[in-house]
Coordinates of all heavy atoms in Angstrom, one line a residue:
M272 N 16.9 -32.1 25.2 CA 16.4 -33.5 25.2 C 15.6 -33.6 23.8 O 14.3 -33.7 23.8 CB 15.4 -33.7 26.3 CG 15.9 -33.5 27.7 SD 17.6 -33.5 27.7 CE 18.0 -32.5 29.1
R273 N 16.2 -33.6 22.7 CA 15.6 -33.6 21.4 C 15.0 -35.1 21.2 O 15.8 -36.0 21.4 CB 16.5 -33.4 20.3 CG 16.8 -31.8 20.1 CD 17.6 -31.6 18.9 NE 18.9 -32.3 19.0 CZ 20.0 -31.8 19.5 NH1 19.9 -30.7 20.2 NH2 21.1 -32.5 19.4
S274 N 13.7 -35.1 21.1 CA 13.2 -36.5 20.8 C 13.6 -36.9 19.4 O 14.8 -37.0 19.1 CB 11.7 -36.6 21.0 OG 11.0 -35.5 20.5
H275 N 12.7 -36.8 18.4 CA 12.9 -37.1 17.1 C 13.3 -35.9 16.3 O 12.8 -34.8 16.7 CB 11.7 -37.9 16.5 CG 11.3 -39.1 17.3 ND1 12.0 -40.2 17.2 CD2 10.3 -39.3 18.1 CE1 11.4 -41.0 18.0 NE2 10.4 -40.6 18.5
R276 N 14.0 -36.0 15.3 CA 14.4 -34.9 14.4 C 13.2 -34.6 13.6 O 12.4 -35.4 13.3 CB 15.5 -35.2 13.5 CG 16.9 -35.3 14.3 CD 17.9 -34.6 13.6 NE 19.2 -34.6 14.3 CZ 19.7 -33.7 14.8 NH1 19.1 -32.6 14.9 NH2 20.9 -33.8 15.4
V277 N 13.1 -33.3 13.2 CA 12.0 -32.8 12.4 C 12.3 -33.1 10.9 O 13.5 -32.9 10.5 CB 11.6 -31.4 12.6 CG1 12.8 -30.5 12.3 CG2 10.5 -30.9 11.9
S278 N 11.4 -33.7 10.1 CA 11.7 -33.9 8.7 C 11.9 -32.6 8.0 O 11.3 -31.5 8.4 CB 10.6 -34.7 8.1 OG 9.4 -33.8 7.9
P279 N 12.6 -32.5 6.8 CA 12.7 -31.2 6.2 C 11.4 -30.6 5.8 O 11.2 -29.4 5.9 CB 13.5 -31.6 4.9 CG 14.4 -32.8 5.3 CD 13.4 -33.6 6.4
A280 N 10.5 -31.5 5.3 CA 9.1 -30.9 4.9 C 8.5 -30.3 6.1 O 7.8 -29.2 6.0 CB 8.3 -32.0 4.2
D281 N 8.5 -31.0 7.2 CA 7.8 -30.4 8.4 C 8.5 -29.1 8.9 O 7.8 -28.2 9.3 CB 7.7 -31.6 9.6 CG 6.7 -32.5 9.5 OD1 5.9 -32.4 8.5 OD2 6.8 -33.6 10.1
F282 N 9.8 -29.2 8.8 CA 10.5 -27.9 9.2 C 10.1 -26.8 8.3 O 9.8 -25.7 8.9 CB 12.1 -28.2 9.0 CG 12.8 -27.0 9.4 CD1 13.1 -26.7 10.8 CD2 13.3 -26.1 8.6 CE1 13.8 -25.6 11.1 CE2 14.1 -25.0 8.8 CZ 14.3 -24.7 10.2
E283 N 10.1 -27.0 7.1 CA 9.7 -25.9 6.2 C 8.3 -25.4 6.4 O 8.0 -24.2 6.4 CB 9.9 -26.4 4.7 CG 11.3 -26.6 4.2 CD 11.5 -27.5 3.2 OE1 10.6 -27.7 2.4 OE2 12.6 -28.1 3.1
L284 N 7.3 -26.3 6.6 CA 6.0 -25.9 6.8 C 5.8 -25.2 8.2 O 5.1 -24.2 8.3 CB 5.0 -27.1 6.9 CG 4.6 -27.7 5.5 CD1 3.9 -29.0 5.6 CD2 3.9 -26.6 4.7
N285 N 6.5 -25.6 9.2 CA 6.5 -24.9 10.5 C 7.1 -23.6 10.4 O 6.6 -22.6 11.0 CB 7.1 -25.8 11.5 CG 6.3 -26.9 12.1 OD1 5.2 -26.6 12.7 ND2 6.6 -28.2 11.8
L286 N 8.3 -23.5 9.6 CA 8.9 -22.2 9.5 C 7.9 -21.2 8.7 O 7.8 -20.0 9.1 CB 10.1 -22.4 8.6 CG 11.0 -21.2 8.4 CD1 11.5 -20.5 9.7 CD2 12.3 -21.5 7.5
L287 N 7.4 -21.7 7.7 CA 6.4 -20.8 7.0 C 5.2 -20.5 7.9 O 4.7 -19.3 7.8 CB 5.9 -21.6 5.7 CG 4.9 -20.8 4.7 CD1 5.6 -19.5 4.4 CD2 4.7 -21.7 3.5
S288 N 4.8 -21.4 8.7 CA 3.6 -21.1 9.6 C 4.0 -19.9 10.6 O 3.3 -19.1 10.9 CB 3.3 -22.4 10.4 OG 2.7 -23.2 9.5
L289 N 5.3 -20.1 11.1 CA 5.8 -19.0 12.0 C 5.9 -17.7 11.3 O 5.5 -16.6 11.8 CB 7.1 -19.4 12.6 CG 7.1 -20.4 13.7 CD1 8.6 -20.8 14.1 CD2 6.3 -20.0 14.9
A290 N 6.3 -17.7 10.1 CA 6.4 -16.5 9.3 C 5.1 -15.9 9.1 O 4.9 -14.6 9.2 CB 7.1 -16.7 7.9
S291 N 4.0 -16.7 8.9 CA 2.7 -16.2 8.8 C 2.2 -15.6 10.0 O 1.5 -14.6 9.9 CB 1.7 -17.4 8.3 OG 1.3 -18.2 9.3
V292 N 2.6 -16.1 11.2 CA 2.2 -15.4 12.4 C 2.8 -14.0 12.5 O 2.1 -13.1 12.9 CB 2.6 -16.3 13.6 CG1 2.5 -15.5 14.9 CG2 1.8 -17.6 13.6
V293 N 4.1 -14.0 12.2 CA 4.8 -12.7 12.2 C 4.2 -11.7 11.3 O 4.0 -10.6 11.6 CB 6.3 -12.8 12.0 CG1 7.0 -11.5 11.8 CG2 6.9 -13.7 13.0
I294 N 3.9 -12.1 10.1 CA 3.4 -11.2 9.0 C 2.0 -10.7 9.5 O 1.7 -9.5 9.2 CB 3.2 -12.0 7.7 CG1 4.6 -12.1 7.0 CG2 2.2 -11.2 6.7 CD1 4.6 -13.0 5.8
K295 N 1.2 -11.5 10.1 CA -0.2 -11.1 10.6 C -0.2 -10.4 11.9 O -1.2 -9.9 12.3 CB -1.1 -12.3 10.8 CG -1.4 -13.0 9.4 CD -2.1 -14.3 9.6 CE -2.2 -15.1 8.4 NZ -2.8 -16.4 8.6
A296 N 1.0 -10.3 12.7 CA 1.1 -9.8 14.0 C 0.5 -8.4 14.2 O 0.0 -8.1 15.2 CB 2.5 -9.9 14.5
D297 N 0.8 -7.5 13.2 CA 0.3 -6.1 13.3 C -1.0 -6.0 12.7 O -1.6 -4.8 12.7 CB 1.2 -5.2 12.6 CG 1.5 -5.5 11.2 OD1 0.8 -6.4 10.6 OD2 2.2 -4.7 10.5
G298 N -1.8 -7.0 12.4 CA -3.2 -6.9 12.0 C -3.4 -6.7 10.5 O -4.5 -6.6 10.1
K299 N -2.3 -6.6 9.9 CA -2.4 -6.4 8.3 C -1.3 -7.2 7.6 O -0.2 -7.4 8.2 CB -2.3 -4.9 8.0 CG -1.1 -4.2 8.5 CD -1.1 -2.8 8.1 CE 0.2 -2.1 8.6 NZ -0.1 -1.0 9.6
V300 N -1.7 -7.7 6.5 CA -0.7 -8.5 5.6 C 0.0 -7.6 4.7 O -0.6 -6.9 3.9 CB -1.5 -9.7 5.0 CG1 -0.6 -10.4 4.1 CG2 -2.1 -10.6 6.0
N301 N 1.2 -7.5 4.8 CA 2.1 -6.7 4.0 C 2.8 -7.5 2.9 O 3.4 -8.5 3.0 CB 3.2 -6.1 4.8 CG 4.1 -5.1 4.2 OD1 4.5 -5.3 3.0 ND2 4.4 -4.0 4.9
Q302 N 2.6 -7.0 1.6 CA 3.1 -7.7 0.4 C 4.6 -7.8 0.5 O 5.2 -8.8 0.2 CB 2.6 -7.0 -0.9 CG 3.0 -7.8 -2.1 CD 2.3 -9.1 -2.2 OE1 1.2 -9.2 -2.0 NE2 3.1 -10.1 -2.6
K303 N 5.2 -6.8 1.0 CA 6.7 -6.7 1.1 C 7.2 -7.9 2.0 O 8.2 -8.5 1.7 CB 7.2 -5.4 1.6 CG 8.6 -5.3 1.6 CD 9.1 -3.8 2.1 CE 10.5 -3.6 2.1 NZ 10.9 -2.4 2.7
E304 N 6.4 -8.1 3.1 CA 6.8 -9.2 4.0 C 6.6 -10.6 3.3 O 7.5 -11.4 3.5 CB 6.1 -9.1 5.3 CG 6.4 -7.9 6.1 CD 5.4 -7.7 7.3 OE1 4.2 -8.0 7.1 OE2 5.8 -7.2 8.3
M305 N 5.5 -10.6 2.6 CA 5.2 -12.0 2.0 C 6.3 -12.2 0.8 O 6.7 -13.3 0.7 CB 3.8 -12.0 1.4 CG 2.8 -12.0 2.5 SD 0.9 -12.2 1.9 CE 1.0 -11.8 0.3
D306 N 6.6 -11.2 0.2 CA 7.7 -11.3 -0.9 C 9.0 -11.8 -0.3 O 9.7 -12.6 -0.9 CB 7.8 -10.0 -1.6 CG 6.6 -9.7 -2.6 OD1 5.8 -10.6 -2.8 OD2 6.6 -8.6 -3.0
Y307 N 9.3 -11.2 0.9 CA 10.6 -11.6 1.5 C 10.6 -13.1 1.9 O 11.5 -13.8 1.6 CB 10.9 -10.8 2.8 CG 12.1 -11.2 3.5 CD1 13.3 -10.7 3.2 CD2 11.9 -12.1 4.6 CE1 14.5 -11.2 3.9 CE2 13.1 -12.5 5.2 CZ 14.3 -12.1 4.9 OH 15.4 -12.6 5.5
V308 N 9.5 -13.5 2.4 CA 9.4 -14.9 2.8 C 9.5 -15.8 1.6 O 10.3 -16.8 1.6 CB 8.1 -15.2 3.6 CG1 7.9 -16.7 3.8 CG2 8.1 -14.4 5.0
R309 N 8.7 -15.4 0.5 CA 8.9 -16.3 -0.6 C 10.3 -16.3 -1.2 O 10.8 -17.4 -1.5 CB 8.0 -15.8 -1.8 CG 8.1 -16.5 -3.1 CD 7.0 -16.5 -4.1 NE 5.9 -17.2 -3.7 CZ 5.8 -18.5 -3.8 NH1 6.8 -19.3 -4.2 NH2 4.8 -19.2 -3.5
M310 N 10.9 -15.1 -1.3 CA 12.4 -15.1 -1.8 C 13.3 -15.9 -0.9 O 14.1 -16.6 -1.4 CB 12.8 -13.6 -1.8 CG 14.2 -13.4 -2.3 SD 14.8 -11.7 -2.1 CE 15.0 -11.7 -0.4
Y311 N 13.1 -15.9 0.3 CA 13.9 -16.7 1.3 C 13.7 -18.1 1.0 O 14.7 -18.9 0.9 CB 13.6 -16.4 2.7 CG 14.3 -17.2 3.7 CD1 15.6 -16.8 4.2 CD2 13.8 -18.4 4.2 CE1 16.3 -17.6 5.1 CE2 14.5 -19.2 5.0 CZ 15.8 -18.8 5.5 OH 16.5 -19.6 6.3
F312 N 12.6 -18.6 0.9 CA 12.3 -20.0 0.6 C 12.8 -20.4 -0.7 O 13.3 -21.5 -0.8 CB 10.7 -20.3 0.7 CG 10.3 -20.7 2.2 CD1 10.2 -19.7 3.1 CD2 10.1 -22.1 2.4 CE1 9.8 -20.1 4.4 CE2 9.6 -22.3 3.7 CZ 9.6 -21.4 4.7
V313 N 12.7 -19.6 -1.7 CA 13.2 -20.0 -3.1 C 14.8 -20.0 -3.0 O 15.4 -21.0 -3.5 CB 12.7 -19.0 -4.1 CG1 13.6 -19.2 -5.4 CG2 11.3 -19.0 -4.3
Q314 N 15.4 -19.2 -2.3 CA 16.8 -19.1 -2.2 C 17.3 -20.3 -1.4 O 18.3 -20.9 -1.7 CB 17.4 -17.8 -1.6 CG 17.3 -16.6 -2.6 CD 17.7 -15.3 -1.9 OE1 17.8 -15.3 -0.7 NE2 18.0 -14.4 -2.7
A315 N 16.6 -20.7 -0.3 CA 17.0 -21.7 0.6 C 16.7 -23.1 0.1 O 17.6 -24.0 0.3 CB 16.4 -21.5 2.0
Y316 N 15.6 -23.3 -0.6 CA 15.1 -24.6 -0.9 C 15.0 -24.8 -2.4 O 14.7 -26.0 -2.8 CB 13.7 -24.9 -0.2 CG 13.9 -24.8 1.3 CD1 13.2 -23.7 1.9 CD2 14.7 -25.6 2.0 CE1 13.4 -23.6 3.3 CE2 14.8 -25.4 3.4 CZ 14.1 -24.3 4.1 OH 14.2 -24.1 5.3
G317 N 15.1 -23.9 -3.2 CA 14.8 -23.9 -4.7 C 13.4 -23.7 -5.0 O 12.6 -23.8 -4.1
K318 N 13.2 -23.2 -6.2 CA 11.9 -22.8 -6.6 C 10.7 -23.9 -6.5 O 9.7 -23.7 -6.0 CB 11.8 -22.3 -8.1 CG 10.6 -21.6 -8.5 CD 10.8 -20.9 -9.7 CE 9.4 -20.2 -10.2 NZ 9.4 -19.5 -11.3
D319 N 11.1 -25.1 -7.1 CA 10.1 -26.3 -7.0 C 9.7 -26.6 -5.6 O 8.5 -26.8 -5.3 CB 10.6 -27.4 -7.7 CG 10.7 -27.2 -9.2 OD1 10.1 -26.3 -9.7 OD2 11.5 -27.9 -9.9
R320 N 10.8 -26.8 -4.7 CA 10.4 -27.1 -3.3 C 9.7 -26.1 -2.7 O 8.7 -26.3 -1.8 CB 11.7 -27.6 -2.6 CG 11.6 -28.3 -1.3 CD 12.8 -29.0 -1.0 NE 13.0 -29.0 0.4 CZ 14.1 -29.4 1.0 NH1 15.2 -29.8 0.2 NH2 14.2 -29.4 2.3
A321 N 10.1 -24.8 -2.8 CA 9.4 -23.6 -2.2 C 8.0 -23.6 -2.6 O 7.1 -23.5 -1.8 CB 10.1 -22.3 -2.6
N322 N 7.7 -23.9 -3.9 CA 6.3 -23.8 -4.5 C 5.5 -24.9 -3.9 O 4.4 -24.8 -3.5 CB 6.4 -24.0 -6.0 CG 6.7 -22.7 -6.7 OD1 6.7 -21.6 -6.1 ND2 7.2 -22.8 -8.0
A323 N 6.1 -26.2 -3.7 CA 5.4 -27.2 -3.1 C 5.1 -26.9 -1.6 O 4.0 -27.3 -1.1 CB 6.2 -28.5 -3.2
T324 N 6.0 -26.3 -0.9 CA 5.7 -25.9 0.5 C 4.7 -24.9 0.6 O 3.8 -25.1 1.4 CB 7.1 -25.4 1.2 OG1 8.1 -26.4 1.1 CG2 6.8 -25.0 2.6
F325 N 4.7 -23.9 -0.2 CA 3.6 -22.9 -0.2 C 2.3 -23.4 -0.5 O 1.3 -23.1 0.1 CB 4.0 -21.7 -1.1 CG 4.9 -20.7 -0.4 CD1 6.3 -20.9 -0.4 CD2 4.3 -19.5 0.0 CE1 7.1 -19.9 0.2 CE2 5.1 -18.5 0.6 CZ 6.6 -18.7 0.7
R326 N 2.3 -24.3 -1.5 CA 1.0 -25.0 -2.0 C 0.5 -25.8 -0.8 O -0.8 -25.7 -0.6 CB 1.3 -25.9 -3.2 CG 0.1 -26.4 -3.9 CD 0.3 -27.1 -5.3 NE 1.6 -27.8 -5.4 CZ 2.7 -27.3 -6.0 NH1 2.7 -26.2 -6.5 NH2 3.7 -28.1 -6.0
T327 N 1.3 -26.6 -0.1 CA 0.8 -27.4 1.0 C 0.3 -26.4 2.1 O -0.8 -26.7 2.7 CB 1.9 -28.3 1.6 OG1 2.3 -29.2 0.5 CG2 1.4 -29.1 2.7
F328 N 1.1 -25.4 2.4 CA 0.6 -24.5 3.4 C -0.7 -23.9 3.0 O -1.6 -23.8 3.9 CB 1.7 -23.3 3.6 CG 1.3 -22.2 4.5 CD1 1.6 -22.4 5.9 CD2 0.6 -21.2 4.1 CE1 1.1 -21.5 6.8 CE2 0.3 -20.1 5.0 CZ 0.6 -20.2 6.3
N329 N -0.9 -23.4 1.8 CA -2.2 -22.8 1.5 C -3.4 -23.8 1.5 O -4.5 -23.4 1.8 CB -2.1 -22.1 0.0 CG -1.2 -20.9 0.1 OD1 -1.2 -20.1 1.1 ND2 -0.4 -20.6 -1.0
E330 N -3.0 -25.0 1.0 CA -4.2 -26.0 1.1 C -4.5 -26.6 2.5 O -5.7 -27.0 2.7 CB -3.7 -27.2 0.2 CG -3.7 -26.8 -1.3 CD -3.1 -27.9 -2.2 OE1 -2.6 -29.0 -1.6 OE2 -2.9 -27.7 -3.4
V331 N -3.5 -26.7 3.4 CA -3.8 -27.3 4.6 C -3.7 -26.4 5.8 O -4.6 -26.2 6.6 CB -2.8 -28.5 4.7 CG1 -3.1 -29.3 6.0 CG2 -3.0 -29.5 3.6
I332 N -2.5 -25.8 6.0 CA -2.2 -25.1 7.2 C -2.9 -23.8 7.3 O -3.4 -23.4 8.3 CB -0.7 -24.8 7.3 CG1 0.2 -26.1 7.0 CG2 -0.2 -24.2 8.6 CD1 0.3 -27.1 8.0
K333 N -3.0 -23.1 6.2 CA -3.7 -21.7 6.2 C -5.1 -21.7 6.8 O -5.5 -20.8 7.4 CB -3.5 -21.1 4.9 CG -3.8 -19.7 4.7 CD -3.6 -19.3 3.3 CE -3.9 -17.8 3.1 NZ -3.7 -17.4 1.7
K334 N -5.8 -22.8 6.6 CA -7.2 -22.9 7.0 C -7.2 -23.2 8.5 O -8.4 -23.0 9.1 CB -7.9 -24.0 6.2 CG -7.9 -23.7 4.7 CD -8.5 -24.9 4.0 CE -8.6 -24.7 2.5 NZ -7.4 -24.9 1.8
R335 N -6.2 -23.5 9.1 CA -6.2 -23.9 10.6 C -5.7 -22.7 11.3 O -5.1 -21.6 10.9 CB -5.3 -24.9 10.9 CG -5.6 -26.3 10.2 CD -4.6 -27.3 10.6 NE -4.7 -28.6 9.8 CZ -3.8 -29.4 9.7 NH1 -2.7 -29.2 10.3 NH2 -4.0 -30.5 8.9
E336 N -6.0 -22.7 12.7 CA -5.4 -21.7 13.6 C -4.0 -22.0 13.9 O -3.7 -23.2 14.3 CB -6.1 -21.7 14.9 CG -5.7 -20.7 15.9 CD -5.9 -19.2 15.4 OE1 -6.9 -19.0 14.8 OE2 -5.1 -18.3 15.8
V337 N -3.1 -21.2 13.5 CA -1.6 -21.5 13.6 C -1.3 -21.1 15.1 O -1.5 -19.9 15.4 CB -0.8 -20.7 12.6 CG1 0.7 -20.9 12.8 CG2 -1.1 -21.2 11.1
N338 N -0.7 -21.9 15.8 CA -0.3 -21.7 17.2 C 1.2 -21.5 17.3 O 1.9 -22.6 17.2 CB -0.8 -22.8 18.1 CG -0.6 -22.4 19.6 OD1 0.4 -22.2 20.0 ND2 -1.7 -22.5 20.3
A339 N 1.7 -20.3 17.5 CA 3.1 -20.1 17.5 C 3.8 -20.9 18.7 O 4.9 -21.4 18.6 CB 3.5 -18.7 17.6
Q340 N 3.2 -21.0 19.8 CA 3.7 -21.7 21.0 C 3.8 -23.1 20.7 O 4.9 -23.7 21.0 CB 2.8 -21.4 22.2 CG 3.4 -22.1 23.5 CD 4.6 -21.3 23.9 OE1 4.6 -20.2 24.0 NE2 5.7 -22.2 24.1
N341 N 2.9 -23.8 20.1 CA 3.0 -25.1 19.7 C 4.1 -25.5 18.8 O 4.8 -26.4 18.9 CB 1.6 -25.7 19.3 CG 0.6 -25.8 20.3 OD1 0.8 -25.7 21.5 ND2 -0.7 -26.0 19.9
I342 N 4.2 -24.6 17.8 CA 5.2 -24.8 16.7 C 6.6 -24.6 17.3 O 7.5 -25.4 17.2 CB 5.0 -23.8 15.5 CG1 3.7 -24.1 14.8 CG2 6.3 -23.8 14.6 CD1 3.4 -23.1 13.8
S343 N 6.7 -23.6 18.2 CA 8.1 -23.2 18.9 C 8.4 -24.4 19.8 O 9.6 -24.8 19.7 CB 7.9 -22.0 19.7 OG 7.6 -20.9 18.9
D344 N 7.4 -25.0 20.5 CA 7.8 -26.2 21.4 C 8.2 -27.4 20.5 O 9.1 -28.0 20.8 CB 6.5 -26.5 22.2 CG 6.2 -25.5 23.3 OD1 7.2 -24.7 23.7 OD2 5.1 -25.5 23.9
Y345 N 7.5 -27.6 19.4 CA 7.8 -28.7 18.6 C 9.2 -28.6 18.0 O 10.0 -29.5 18.1 CB 6.8 -28.7 17.4 CG 7.0 -29.7 16.4 CD1 6.7 -31.1 16.5 CD2 7.6 -29.4 15.1 CE1 6.9 -32.0 15.5 CE2 7.8 -30.3 14.1 CZ 7.4 -31.6 14.4 OH 7.7 -32.5 13.4
L346 N 9.5 -27.4 17.5 CA 10.9 -27.2 16.9 C 11.9 -27.2 17.9 O 13.0 -27.6 17.7 CB 10.9 -25.8 16.1 CG 10.1 -25.9 14.8 CD1 10.0 -24.4 14.1 CD2 10.6 -26.9 13.8
R347 N 11.7 -26.6 19.2 CA 12.7 -26.5 20.2 C 13.1 -28.0 20.6 O 14.3 -28.3 20.8 CB 12.1 -25.9 21.4 CG 13.2 -25.8 22.6 CD 12.6 -25.1 23.8 NE 11.2 -25.5 24.1 CZ 10.9 -26.7 24.8 NH1 11.9 -27.4 25.2 NH2 9.7 -26.9 25.1
Q348 N 12.1 -28.9 20.6 CA 12.5 -30.3 21.0 C 13.2 -31.1 19.9 O 13.8 -32.1 20.1 CB 11.2 -31.1 21.3 CG 10.4 -30.5 22.5 CD 9.0 -31.1 22.7 OE1 8.6 -31.9 21.9 NE2 8.3 -30.6 23.7
R349 N 13.1 -30.6 18.6 CA 13.6 -31.3 17.5 C 14.7 -30.8 16.7 O 15.2 -31.3 15.7 CB 12.4 -31.7 16.5 CG 11.5 -32.7 17.2 CD 10.2 -32.8 16.4 NE 9.3 -33.8 16.9 CZ 8.5 -33.6 17.9 NH1 8.5 -32.4 18.5 NH2 7.7 -34.5 18.4
T350 N 15.1 -29.5 17.1 CA 16.2 -28.9 16.3 C 17.4 -28.4 17.2 O 17.2 -28.4 18.5 CB 15.7 -27.6 15.6 OG1 15.2 -26.8 16.6 CG2 14.6 -28.0 14.6
R351 N 18.5 -28.3 16.6 CA 19.6 -27.8 17.3 C 19.5 -26.3 17.6 O 18.9 -25.6 16.9 CB 21.0 -28.1 16.5 CG 21.2 -29.6 16.4 CD 22.3 -29.9 15.3 NE 23.3 -28.9 15.3 CZ 24.5 -29.2 15.5 NH1 25.0 -30.5 15.7 NH2 25.5 -28.3 15.4
Y352 N 20.4 -25.8 18.5 CA 20.4 -24.4 18.9 C 20.7 -23.5 17.7 O 20.1 -22.5 17.4 CB 21.4 -24.1 19.9 CG 21.7 -22.7 20.2 CD1 20.8 -22.0 21.0 CD2 22.8 -22.0 19.6 CE1 21.0 -20.6 21.2 CE2 23.0 -20.7 19.9 CZ 22.1 -20.0 20.7 OH 22.4 -18.6 20.9
E353 N 21.7 -24.0 16.8 CA 22.0 -23.2 15.7 C 20.9 -23.0 14.7 O 20.7 -21.9 14.1 CB 23.2 -23.9 14.9 CG 24.4 -23.9 15.8 CD 24.5 -25.1 16.7 OE1 23.6 -26.0 16.8 OE2 25.5 -25.2 17.5
S354 N 20.1 -24.0 14.5 CA 18.9 -24.0 13.6 C 17.9 -23.1 14.2 O 17.3 -22.2 13.5 CB 18.3 -25.3 13.5 OG 19.2 -26.2 12.8
R355 N 17.6 -23.1 15.5 CA 16.7 -22.2 16.2 C 17.2 -20.7 16.1 O 16.4 -19.8 15.9 CB 16.5 -22.5 17.6 CG 15.8 -23.9 17.7 CD 15.3 -24.3 19.1 NE 16.3 -24.2 20.1 CZ 17.1 -25.3 20.5 NH1 17.0 -26.4 19.9 NH2 18.0 -25.1 21.4
L356 N 18.5 -20.4 16.2 CA 19.0 -19.1 16.0 C 18.8 -18.6 14.6 O 18.4 -17.5 14.4 CB 20.5 -19.1 16.4 CG 21.2 -17.8 16.5 CD1 20.5 -16.9 17.6 CD2 22.6 -18.0 16.8
Q357 N 19.0 -19.5 13.6 CA 18.6 -19.1 12.3 C 17.2 -18.7 12.0 O 16.9 -17.8 11.2 CB 19.1 -20.2 11.2 CG 20.6 -20.3 11.0 CD 20.8 -21.4 10.1 OE1 20.3 -22.5 10.0 NE2 21.7 -21.0 9.0
I358 N 16.4 -19.4 12.7 CA 14.9 -19.1 12.5 C 14.6 -17.8 13.1 O 13.8 -17.0 12.5 CB 14.0 -20.3 13.3 CG1 14.2 -21.6 12.7 CG2 12.6 -19.8 13.5 CD1 13.6 -22.8 13.4
I359 N 15.2 -17.5 14.3 CA 15.0 -16.1 14.9 C 15.5 -15.1 14.0 O 14.8 -14.0 13.8 CB 15.6 -16.1 16.2 CG1 14.9 -17.0 17.2 CG2 15.7 -14.7 16.7 CD1 15.6 -17.1 18.5
H360 N 16.7 -15.2 13.3 CA 17.2 -14.2 12.5 C 16.2 -14.0 11.2 O 15.9 -12.9 10.8 CB 18.5 -14.6 11.9 CG 19.6 -14.3 13.0 ND1 20.1 -13.1 13.3 CD2 20.4 -15.2 13.7 CE1 21.0 -13.1 14.2 NE2 21.2 -14.4 14.5
F361 N 15.7 -15.2 10.7 CA 14.8 -15.1 9.6 C 13.5 -14.4 9.9 O 13.1 -13.5 9.2 CB 14.5 -16.5 9.1 CG 13.3 -16.7 8.2 CD1 13.3 -16.1 7.0 CD2 12.2 -17.3 8.7 CE1 12.1 -16.1 6.1 CE2 11.0 -17.4 7.9 CZ 11.0 -16.8 6.6
L362 N 12.9 -14.7 11.0 CA 11.7 -14.1 11.5 C 11.8 -12.6 11.7 O 10.9 -11.8 11.4 CB 11.1 -14.8 12.7 CG 10.6 -16.2 12.4 CD1 10.2 -16.9 13.7 CD2 9.5 -16.3 11.4
F363 N 13.0 -12.2 12.2 CA 13.2 -10.7 12.5 C 13.4 -10.0 11.2 O 13.2 -8.8 11.1 CB 14.3 -10.5 13.5 CG 13.9 -10.5 15.0 CD1 13.8 -11.7 15.7 CD2 13.4 -9.4 15.5 CE1 13.4 -11.7 17.0 CE2 12.9 -9.3 16.8 CZ 12.9 -10.5 17.5
S364 N 14.0 -10.7 10.2 CA 14.2 -10.0 8.9 C 12.9 -9.7 8.2 O 12.8 -8.8 7.5 CB 15.0 -10.9 8.0 OG 16.3 -11.1 8.6

């Protein structure tokens, strides 16, 4: 029962937020993991758009408590199964 689709910008910010949860999950921030996420975003969205997403994340989202359950619920309601499967592959990488 997908209500509204998620906008590309919201999708990217939510994806980056989930990646931040995974990176912090073991209690330490690993540069290799951060580099992987940045490389993925640059390859998927282009350098300018990736930079804009990271800038927004750092200015707005990073200061808040990121709730993986809320993000997951939001994306589950607004994305197709195939997109959610890609998200899982990305996060495990």
